[in-house]
Amino acid sequence: MKASSMDTHLGNISIDHEVIAQYAGTVAMECFGIVGMAGRSVKDGFVKLLKKESMTRGIQVTLNNNKLTLDFHVIVSYGVSILAVSDNLVDSVKYKVEEFTGIEIEKINIFVEGVRVID
């Protein structure tokens, strides 16, 4: 189990990286222009849209020196500005995850793995 932990006056708080990834993914899905998280098939190299229950596979959480690094592999909507979507994603995730966990985010990396036309 990979977890982020912090000591408080009441004791030790440990947050599993899966929980952080799930919360960050939920926040990301609320952002305009994000269709979903992307999963890459190792054997054939294809990218696929992950279902909501497995979206954490598209997010990697790393903790270094008590600071988080989040890697998002996303699929964006066709016709939107990738820069605007990325800025919105970074701002939303940074604010909400830091508020949720109490751990500072050092870096958020966004990998756009595909584009989808939304009906």
Side-chain angles (χ1 to χ4, degrees), residues 35-97:
V35 176
M37 298 300 130
R40 187 178 285 269
S41 174
V42 177
K43 70 178 184 180
D44 54 15
F46 289 114
V47 173
K48 68 176 184 172
L49 182 63
L50 296 172
K51 294 183 181 356
K52 192 166 185 103
E53 53 274 356
S54 62
M55 84 171 131
T56 58
R57 290 190 341 198
I59 303 167
Q60 181 180 351
V61 178
T62 311
L63 181 72
N64 288 325
N65 300 325
N66 291 328
K67 293 183 181 179
L68 289 172
T69 298
L70 302 174
D71 294 338
F72 286 87
H73 297 269
V74 298
I75 296 176
V76 298
S77 297
Y78 176 79
V80 298
S81 166
I82 292 175
L83 180 60
V85 170
S86 299
D87 285 345
N88 184 23
L89 176 68
V90 168
D91 291 342
S92 295
V93 168
K94 183 170 176 39
Y95 174 75
K96 289 183 179 177
V97 171

